[in-house]
Amino acid sequence: MKDIETQIIHHAYQAPGSFAAAQPPVHRASTVVFDSVRAMHESDWRDKSAYTYGLHGTPTTFTLEERLCTLEGGRFCTLAPSGLAAITLVNMALLQAGDEVLLPDNVYGPNASFVSVELAKWGITHQMYDPLDANDLAGRINSATRLVWIEAAGSVSLEFPDGPALVQAVAQANTRRDRKICTVLDNTWGAGLAFKPFEWGVDISVQALTKYPSGGADVLMGSVITRDPDLHSTVQMTHSRLGLGVAGDDAERVLRGLPSMRLRYLRQDHTTRELAQWAQSKSEFSRVLHPALAGSPGHEAFSRLCDGAACLFSVVFDKRFSREKVEAFCDALQLFQLGYSWAGPMSLVVPYQLPAMRTLPVPYDGVLVRFAVGLESPRDLIEDLEQALASIG
Ligand SMILES: *Cc1c(COP(=O)(O)O)cnc(C)c1O
């Protein structure tokens, strides 16, 4: 008879494996055990035919990866512990000393920061390009160019690029070189719902699952999806060397958010357009930025390429409102809370210093405020905006 502490670990009872709950279960593990040394050596996590170690995937993470591939129309998915980790993973997997990466001028800020500080240490250079001008991108491609980021729409200022034209500019350059340039889209805004990234011809689609797929504002995660087995293998091996595994509980939270994702996307899109239209009628704002509005940068490309839009819009305050006044407006909002991120249930607001975030000249001279619209009632949100405007006169 074994001692009690041994018995409660090596227990004879095994629960039957046929517990068919509607929702996939959470599997938590560092260690998984094997029947034999041979099985240990033959288990391959890379093609999802087996498990070797928690860091390399569990039933929960594999299930989420496959569902996300379906969402985005890709074949292979790698999960990372945040959207930013997914971005830095792609940069590290695909770039080496001497390479150059091109970023749109309106790129998600922390990506630019990673490239200009961390990658610069490793002898990797970068340039910013004008996302609304495929010729500008084409003109910046040189023999060192290896990776081109695309963002649709741009963070904060919401310019919508002609994505397929940007991909085409890179494809054109690729006909003249041996080492191909890869295109990678930050697809957090489109979320796999507004448009199909691989139909644009991108090689990789990255998403902050933190936003729509989770939808709860309570989990951080990112995905890297591709149709190309070689690119996937490169990303997957860098991922395993860096140890960027995700927790089963977090993966399960995203699996819970996925079924309602499309409904939330549609509802938030609807409310956002209603608010953006309301904003256009207000003399306090000199511009309203939302790609569905005629006159918003990239409106034509958006109309041609998209079936929907994310829950973001920005306003530029008329010049008569000082930064202090605009900050007082943000402080006066009751339902819109001050906070980063978006696509959760609660509406959020952030004032931005746009010129400090761009290399290209910014065509607006007032203070910009970005709204992330949640799941509250549109009427209540407009009332909140009205009262905050009234409070700053
Ligand atoms: C939020 C966001 C990210 C990063 O996601 P985290 O999970 O917060 O790291 C990347 N790209 C875009 C466009 C985002 O909005």
Side-chain angles (χ1 to χ4, degrees):
M1 194 69 163
K2 302 257 187 318
D3 288 334
I4 195 79
E5 62 267 47
T6 306
Q7 281 192 55
I8 59 173
I9 296 168
H10 298 269
H11 203 282
Y13 176 76
Q14 293 290 320
S18 59
F19 186 71
Q23 181 65 5
V26 187
H27 289 268
R28 300 183 188 89
S30 49
T31 302
V32 294
V33 295
F34 305 91
D35 288 342
S36 65
V37 173
R38 188 185 169 139
M40 192 172 206
H41 290 159
E42 286 180 354
S43 292
D44 192 356
W45 55 278
R46 288 167 302 182
D47 64 2
K48 294 193 168 74
S49 62
Y51 305 99
T52 49
Y53 187 58
L55 198 55
H56 300 148
T58 64
T60 315
T61 60
F62 283 1
T63 301
L64 178 57
E65 286 170 355
E66 290 303 307
R67 292 183 187 198
L68 292 169
C69 283
T70 300
L71 173 69
E72 295 207 51
R75 287 181 59 200
F76 308 99
C77 176
T78 309
L79 297 173
S82 68
L84 181 56
I87 289 171
T88 60
L89 167 63
V90 170
N91 281 323
M92 281 190 280
L94 299 183
L95 294 165
Q96 61 186 51
D99 288 348
E100 183 160 284
V101 50
L102 298 181
L103 304 173
D105 198 44
N106 56 5
V107 70
Y108 178 66
N111 188 0
S113 171
F114 177 78
V115 163
S116 61
V117 179
E118 300 298 336
L119 292 187
K121 291 185 205 163
W122 301 91
I124 295 161
T125 59
H126 74 283
Q127 286 188 62
M128 311 304 279
Y129 71 89
D130 179 351
L132 298 177
D133 183 357
N135 290 327
D136 181 67
L137 169 60
R140 290 175 192 281
I141 291 173
N142 59 49
S143 58
T145 312
R146 177 70 180 135
L147 189 61
V148 173
W149 280 90
I150 296 171
E151 192 142 324
S155 277
V156 183
S157 44
L158 299 163
E159 300 89 352
F160 203 90
D162 186 339
L166 296 175
V167 173
Q168 192 50 41
V170 175
Q172 196 70 38
N174 274 340
T175 61
R176 303 185 297 266
R177 49 199 292 148
D178 300 331
R179 242 179 115 223
K180 297 284 177 235
I181 303 168
C182 286
T183 49
V184 49
L185 171 77
D186 183 330
N187 196 25
T188 305
W189 185 95
L193 296 172
F195 55 87
K196 293 290 162 206
F198 296 103
E199 288 173 12
W200 289 11
V202 297
D203 297 305
I204 295 174
S205 174
V206 164
Q207 201 182 146
L209 307 175
T210 308
K211 307 290 168 50
Y212 278 109
S214 149
D218 57 358
V219 54
L220 289 154
M221 200 176 294
S223 57
V224 180
I225 294 181
T226 181
R227 287 181 171 178
D228 182 322
D230 295 333
L231 273 180
H232 172 63
S233 168
T234 302
V235 169
Q236 192 183 36
M237 292 317 292
T238 300
H239 177 272
S240 79
R241 289 182 201 108
L242 289 169
L244 292 178
V246 303
D249 293 277
D250 287 347
E252 194 270 347
R253 283 188 187 98
V254 180
L255 280 167
R256 279 224 252 178
L258 275 185
S260 64
M261 177 182 173
R262 186 160 178 278
L263 287 177
R264 289 183 279 104
Y265 198 91
L266 291 174
R267 163 73 183 189
Q268 283 168 284
D269 180 4
H270 197 266
T271 309
T272 305
R273 291 186 204 221
E274 199 171 325
L275 267 55
Q277 249 148 31
W278 165 86
Q280 274 198 316
S281 71
K282 304 305 286 184
S283 63
E284 287 90 343
F285 307 135
S286 62
R287 302 271 317 240
V288 181
L289 302 169
H290 182 294
L293 297 176
S296 199
H299 169 67
E300 183 279 321
F302 167 82
S303 308
R304 182 160 38 89
L305 298 167
C306 291
D307 289 331
C311 58
L312 300 174
F313 78 104
S314 294
V315 296
V316 181
F317 271 79
D318 186 88
K319 275 185 297 204
R320 69 178 188 278
F321 293 97
S322 63
R323 172 154 296 280
E324 290 68 34
K325 278 276 184 200
V326 174
E327 289 178 1
F329 162 83
C330 295
D331 284 338
L333 288 163
Q334 303 283 312
L335 296 178
F336 284 91
Q337 298 283 307
L338 284 159
Y340 298 107
S341 197
W342 41 282
M346 183 189 281
S347 292
L348 301 170
V349 60
V350 186
Y352 281 99
Q353 289 265 30
L354 201 58
M357 297 159 67
R358 298 282 187 266
T359 59
L360 293 171
V362 171
Y364 328 117
D365 45 11
V367 180
L368 183 144
V369 171
R370 188 191 74 185
F371 300 99
V373 178
L375 288 164
E376 303 95 333
S377 120
R379 200 174 58 89
D380 290 336
L381 291 174
I382 289 176
E383 203 166 282
D384 191 28
L385 294 164
E386 291 276 17
Q387 67 78 22
L389 276 184
S391 79
I392 60 165

